Amino acid sequence: MQATAIAHPNIAFIKYWGNRDEALRIPLNSSLSMNLDALSTTTSVEFRADLQQDDLVIDGLNASPDAVQRVSAFLDIIRASMQEKDLKAIVISQNNFPMGAGIASSASAFAALAAAASKAAGLDLDEAALSCLARRGSGSASRSIPDGFVEWQAGNSDENSYAFSIAPADHWQLVDLIAVVSRAHKPVGSSTGHLLAATSPIQNARVSDCQRRLEICRRAILKKDFSTFAEIVELDSNLLHAVMMTSSPNLLYWEPPTIAIMKKVLEWRLQGLRVCYTIDAGPNVHLLCQVEDAPSIEKLLQAVNGVETIYRSNPGRGVQVF
Ligand code: DP6
C-alpha cells in the first residue's frame, strides 16, 4: 500500500479566484495554465495498520499541525473509498525548490499527493477523476495533473470540475522566468483570499468576462500568437489584483520591486521585446516569453533592483506515478 508520484506546479494565465462551493473547491470561473517543468514535488504515501495518526514530512522536517490537518482531511476523502477506512498514512514530500521562495507549492503538493495516495489506496482513477481529487486538496492542483497547457473547466459539481490538457508540453517553447523578490511568507494565503473575493465590488465583472478572456488565451496558445497571449495574460493578472486590492479586508501582495518589474516589462515591450508578466497571490513576478528571447530577457531582469533569484522553467508534463 505504498506509491510515489511526481508533479509540477503550474502558472495560471487565466486565474482562479473565488469559489462557488468552498468545501468542494468548485471555482467561479474556468482557468488556464502551464505546468512548470523545472520545479517539482515528489511525494510518497504509505497506508499502514500500525500508525495512530497521519504522519507528514516535508523537505525532511515534520510538518506543522495545520499542514498535517489539511493533508489528513484530504486523505479522509480517499479513505472513504477504501475498505480499511481507519488506516493512517505516512506521507513524505520533497520539493526541488525552497518552500520559502514564495513559489506556490500547493498545486504540485496536492497533485502529487492525490496521485500517490490514490494509487497506494488501490484506487484506479482516470485523469479526470484524479484531477477532481487533487482539486479537493487545492484548486490549482487540479491543473497539475494533465500534461503541458491545461484548462480547468469550472463545472458545477464534484464530478465535472476538472482539468484537461489543451496542448502537450512540447507544443510551444514558452519560458517562465520567475523573479523572486521576497521570500517572506505571504500574510494571507490563497484559501483565505478566495473567501474574500466576493467582497470586492468588481469580482462579478472579473468573473463574467472570464470565459471571453479564456477563449482568447486558449486560441493564442494553440496558434502560438505571442502578442495576443501577452495582452490577455496581463489583463487577467491585473483584474485579479484589482479584485484583491478592492476586497475587504483588502489584499495588496505587491512590493516595490514587483511594480518596478511590471514597469520594466511594459518598457521592454515598447522597445520591441516579446515578454509579458503575470502575478499570483504574492509579490513575485512571472515573466513569460518564447525560448529564443529568454536569455536576453533574463539578463535584463537580473539587473532590476530587488530581484533576488530567478527560476527559469519550460512547459512541464503532467503528474507521474511510480
Ligand atoms: C492566485 O489553488 O492556491 O494562484 O484552492 O485554496 O488551495 P486553494 O487555492 P490555490 O489558489 C490559486 C490562486 C492563484 C491563481 C491560480 O493559480 O489560478
Side-chain angles (χ1 to χ4, degrees):
M1 303 207 84
Q2 198 272 349
T4 300
I6 178 163
H8 302 292
N10 62 75
I11 178 65
F13 303 145
I14 301 295
K15 314 278 191 190
Y16 146 54
W17 199 245
N19 284 309
R20 109 182 17 228
D21 185 317
E22 292 297 339
L24 291 174
R25 285 193 158 82
I26 297 172
L28 283 166
N29 64 270
S30 299
S31 52
L32 204 55
S33 63
M34 175 180 101
N35 290 335
L36 299 175
D37 177 57
L39 309 174
S40 62
T41 304
T42 305
T43 299
S44 65
V45 177
E46 185 177 12
F47 286 99
R48 283 193 352 204
D50 61 332
L51 296 172
Q52 301 304 310
Q53 57 201 22
D54 295 319
D55 198 6
L56 173 62
V57 177
I58 303 176
D59 295 338
L61 300 171
N62 285 322
S64 67
D66 281 358
V68 176
Q69 203 200 353
R70 189 165 172 182
V71 164
S72 283
F74 180 77
L75 292 173
D76 286 344
I77 301 169
I78 295 173
R79 279 188 277 257
S81 311
M82 291 168 72
Q83 271 178 356
E84 292 172 275
K85 296 191 182 336
D86 297 329
L87 284 186
K88 302 294 181 201
I90 174 150
V91 177
I92 299 174
S93 193
Q94 190 73 38
N95 295 298
N96 77 343
F97 53 97
M99 279 264 278
I103 298 170
S105 55
S106 69
S108 51
F110 279 98
L113 180 63
S118 57
K119 174 90 183 292
L123 308 179
D124 187 19
L125 303 181
D126 64 17
E127 186 182 273
L130 194 52
S131 175
C132 284
L133 177 63
R135 187 201 77 232
R136 301 283 300 273
S138 175
S140 54
S142 66
R143 297 188 308 240
S144 285
I145 300 293
D147 180 33
F149 297 85
V150 174
E151 179 172 338
W152 170 15
Q153 60 177 26
N156 55 15
S157 73
D158 190 21
E159 292 76 30
N160 67 13
S161 184
Y162 60 83
F164 52 87
S165 178
I166 60 159
D170 62 4
H171 163 70
W172 192 14
Q173 286 306 293
L174 271 188
V175 173
D176 183 6
L177 297 169
I178 309 169
V180 176
V181 303
S182 164
R183 290 169 182 276
H185 198 72
K186 48 186 171 186
V188 179
S190 302
S191 300
T192 311
H194 291 295
L195 292 169
L196 299 179
T199 66
S200 163
I202 58 173
Q203 165 74 340
N204 280 344
R206 189 194 72 84
V207 171
S208 62
D209 182 55
C210 199
Q211 196 59 29
R212 182 190 72 88
R213 295 193 302 279
L214 187 142
E215 273 156 32
I216 291 171
C217 190
R218 190 205 296 120
R219 265 201 307 274
I221 291 170
L222 295 178
K223 285 166 52 186
K224 304 178 202 170
D225 169 357
F226 190 81
S227 59
T228 305
F229 171 80
E231 195 180 319
I232 207 72
V233 166
E234 275 184 15
L235 172 63
D236 193 81
S237 175
N238 290 343
L239 280 166
L240 168 75
H241 287 271
V243 166
M244 290 165 162
M245 286 179 209
T246 51
S247 63
S248 52
N250 67 330
L251 300 170
L252 177 52
Y253 286 109
W254 300 347
E255 295 295 335
T258 314
I259 300 167
I261 298 168
M262 292 162 80
K263 287 188 156 240
K264 282 289 181 196
V265 168
L266 300 184
E267 209 178 281
W268 296 336
R269 231 185 9 252
L270 283 176
Q271 292 164 4
L273 278 177
R274 288 168 299 186
V275 57
C276 68
Y277 65 76
T278 186
I279 305 164
D280 282 341
N284 301 328
V285 188
H286 295 248
L287 262 56
L288 301 162
C289 61
Q290 294 171 105
V291 71
E292 61 271 25
D293 301 322
S296 53
I297 293 165
E298 187 166 357
K299 217 175 212 161
L300 288 168
L301 185 57
Q302 266 159 3
V304 180
N305 256 342
V307 173
E308 288 182 12
T309 315
I310 301 171
Y311 291 94
R312 177 183 174 155
S313 185
N314 299 320
R317 309 254 321 260
V319 73
Q320 285 171 275
V321 197
F322 311 104

